């Protein structure tokens, strides 16, 4: 009871602040982001050790100075995504569509015509939160996002409400399989968004793959469910155009998931994600301990002389 009261008090205190921030114009929002950057990066140093270790493991070919520049850009982008997440509370559909665009949204309609549900696989890159605006482009399908429930039930309800503004529906990870089985039984066609790059619990890891030269466990739920429920699969490649503006590209997996060997799709996703990160590493979420269960460190870089 005491815990619930504390959660309610936190919500009562923070919700008005979040709402006031959300109605601010973007130029003021990014001014707040710059202040937040100084606080989180320069003063608190939030997860700085984790970020530096991740960059050292994945980008050993870069100098320390080069990695520090990426680190600084990452924290600036990270703070931008925090204020952008709050902005989602009140942002208009028109504004959202202007700031998050799709290179090939017509592919969504093509896949809808196939008459199957679709698994969308993406990583924690650029503005994965704003990907929800694609729900406004769906015609026959419904958009679902797979997520981990927030411990504070009041904020959890708020997050569900925010996503619902753009006709998306959240399914917590523990309810994913029952919900998708129910949808198939009831002939509900959907796009299911999976953030598949987090590190799974070691005891539940069923597949390890090469990611930046390290053998790490990976989530295979999207692939296995696509096979079980006869779904199509698309990868989503996000990118940041400039501050406050993003775009995404859909990359279809053009084979029948049921006809390819297990884990081939997951391995392909990790390969595409690695290439995406290398293009602009500052936009990946480096605060996650993605490599904590690695079997090996990447091979040392051999220095050559002319």
């Amino acid at each position: 009871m005491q815990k619930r009261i504390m959660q309610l008090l936190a919500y009562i205190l923070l919700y008005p602040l979040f709402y006031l921030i959300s109605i601010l114009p973007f130029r003021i929002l990014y001014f707040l982001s710059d202040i937040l950057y100084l606080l989180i990066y320069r003063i608190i140093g939030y997860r700085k050790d984790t970020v530096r270790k991740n960059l050292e493991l994945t980008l050993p070919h870069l100098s320390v100075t080069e990695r520090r520049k990426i680190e600084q850009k990452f924290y600036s982008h990270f703070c931008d995504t925090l204020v952008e997440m709050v902005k989602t509370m009140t942002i208009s559909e028109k504004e959202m569509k202007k700031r998050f665009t799709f290179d090939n949204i017509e592919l969504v309609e093509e896949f809808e015509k196939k008459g199957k549900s679709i698994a969308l696989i993406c990583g924690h890159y650029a503005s994965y939160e704003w990907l929800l605006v694609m729900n406004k482009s769906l015609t026959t399908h419904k958009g679902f996002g797979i997520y981990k429930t927030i411990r504070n039930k009041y904020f959890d309800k708020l997050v569900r409400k925010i996503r619902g503004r753009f006709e998306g529906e959240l399914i917590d990870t523990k309810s994913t399989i029952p919900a998708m089985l129910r949808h198939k039984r009831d002939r509900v066609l959907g796009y299911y968004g999976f953030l598949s790059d987090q590190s799974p619990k070691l005891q539940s890891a069923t597949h390890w793959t090469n990611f930046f030269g390290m053998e790490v466990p990976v989530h295979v739920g999207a692939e296995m469910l696509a096979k079980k429920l006869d779904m199509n699969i698309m990868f989503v490649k996000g990118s940041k155009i400039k501050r406050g503006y993003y775009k995404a590209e859909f990359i279809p997996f053009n084979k029948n998931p049921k006809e390819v060997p297990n884990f081939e799709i997951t391995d392909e996703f990790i390969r595409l994600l690695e290439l995406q990160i290398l293009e602009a590493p500052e936009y990946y979420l480096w605060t996650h301990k993605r490599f904590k269960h690695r079997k090996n460190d990447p091979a040392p870089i051999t220095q050559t002389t002319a």
Side-chain angles (χ1 to χ4, degrees):
M1 178 62 74
Q2 184 177 3
K3 182 178 180 181
R4 182 174 296 182
I5 292 174
M6 294 302 294
Q7 289 180 342
L8 178 59
L9 286 175
Y11 178 78
I12 291 173
L13 290 172
L14 291 175
Y15 178 82
L17 176 62
F18 289 161
Y19 182 82
L20 289 174
I21 292 174
S22 75
I23 61 177
L24 293 174
F26 273 94
R27 59 184 178 83
I28 298 179
L29 273 181
Y30 290 127
F31 174 72
L32 292 179
S33 177
D34 291 339
I35 296 175
L36 198 59
Y37 167 81
L38 294 175
L39 178 65
I40 290 178
Y41 179 57
R42 297 296 183 182
I43 299 175
I44 298 176
Y46 173 71
R47 294 200 173 186
K48 188 181 288 187
D49 290 342
T50 298
V51 172
R52 288 187 175 177
K53 184 61 178 178
N54 284 339
L55 291 174
E56 179 185 345
L57 288 170
T58 56
L59 305 173
H61 58 287
L62 299 181
S63 68
V64 173
T65 300
E66 289 171 321
R67 290 200 295 269
R68 289 293 183 274
K69 289 180 180 178
I70 292 172
E71 175 185 298
Q72 292 163 10
K73 290 179 180 179
F74 159 71
Y75 275 99
S76 178
H77 167 70
F78 177 68
C79 292
D80 281 357
T81 61
L82 293 179
V83 298
E84 288 165 357
M85 192 183 307
V86 175
K87 182 66 175 176
T88 312
M89 291 176 65
T90 57
I91 192 172
S92 68
E93 179 184 340
K94 181 180 178 181
E95 184 73 20
M96 181 71 97
K97 285 185 173 180
K98 182 178 75 172
R99 291 178 173 272
F100 197 109
T101 58
F102 299 90
D103 278 350
N104 54 347
I105 192 64
E106 66 279 358
L107 194 63
V108 168
E109 186 174 345
E110 289 180 24
F111 263 66
E112 284 188 286
K113 291 177 181 178
K114 296 178 184 290
K116 294 182 179 181
S117 289
I118 298 98
L120 291 176
I121 310 180
C122 61
H124 288 79
Y125 190 90
S127 181
Y128 52 91
E129 287 283 346
W130 278 5
L131 182 62
L132 55 85
V133 75
M134 75 166 284
N135 295 324
K136 289 293 185 177
S137 299
L138 303 181
T139 56
T140 60
H141 287 45
K142 181 175 175 58
F144 299 95
I146 311 303
Y147 87 117
K148 188 174 182 179
T149 304
I150 300 173
R151 292 181 180 178
N152 186 315
K153 69 173 187 178
Y154 302 101
F155 283 108
D156 186 74
K157 184 177 180 180
L158 175 62
V159 169
R160 287 176 175 272
K161 182 179 179 181
I162 291 172
R163 300 287 174 80
R165 293 186 62 238
F166 296 94
E167 300 179 3
E169 182 179 323
L170 294 183
I171 304 174
D172 69 86
T173 51
K174 294 180 180 179
S175 304
T176 302
I177 295 177
M180 293 178 72
L181 288 172
R182 184 175 66 254
H183 293 165
K184 186 172 180 62
R185 182 196 66 212
D186 297 340
R187 298 183 180 181
V188 175
L189 295 174
Y191 272 87
Y192 296 89
F194 293 85
L195 286 164
S196 299
D197 58 331
Q198 295 188 48
S199 183
K201 293 180 179 179
L202 201 56
Q203 61 269 27
S204 62
T206 58
H207 179 58
W208 296 65
T209 194
N210 186 293
F211 191 32
F212 284 102
M214 293 167 277
E215 288 294 315
V216 296
V218 289
H219 281 288
V220 298
E223 177 181 352
M224 294 299 104
L225 285 169
K227 288 174 177 286
K228 181 179 179 66
L229 301 175
D230 192 24
M231 301 165 62
N232 288 315
I233 289 183
M234 289 198 295
F235 306 110
V236 185
K237 179 185 178 182
S239 58
K240 188 170 186 174
I241 303 170
K242 61 181 180 179
R243 197 174 203 183
Y245 290 85
Y246 304 87
K247 68 177 181 178
E249 175 189 2
F250 298 104
I251 304 173
F253 186 82
N254 289 318
K255 300 177 184 178
N256 185 340
K258 298 176 71 173
E259 297 176 356
V260 300
N262 285 346
F263 313 127
E264 180 179 309
I265 295 170
T266 300
D267 288 345
E268 175 69 3
F269 161 67
I270 293 297
R271 184 188 69 82
L272 290 171
L273 178 63
E274 183 174 321
L275 291 173
Q276 178 184 19
I277 293 170
L278 287 172
E279 288 179 8
E282 59 268 29
Y283 301 138
Y284 188 58
L285 189 60
W286 295 109
T287 50
H288 281 178
K289 294 183 179 180
R290 182 63 193 83
F291 305 97
K292 60 184 176 182
H293 297 313
R294 64 188 183 278
K295 289 183 178 179
N296 65 290
D297 284 342
I301 301 298
T302 302
Q303 300 294 330
T304 60
T305 58

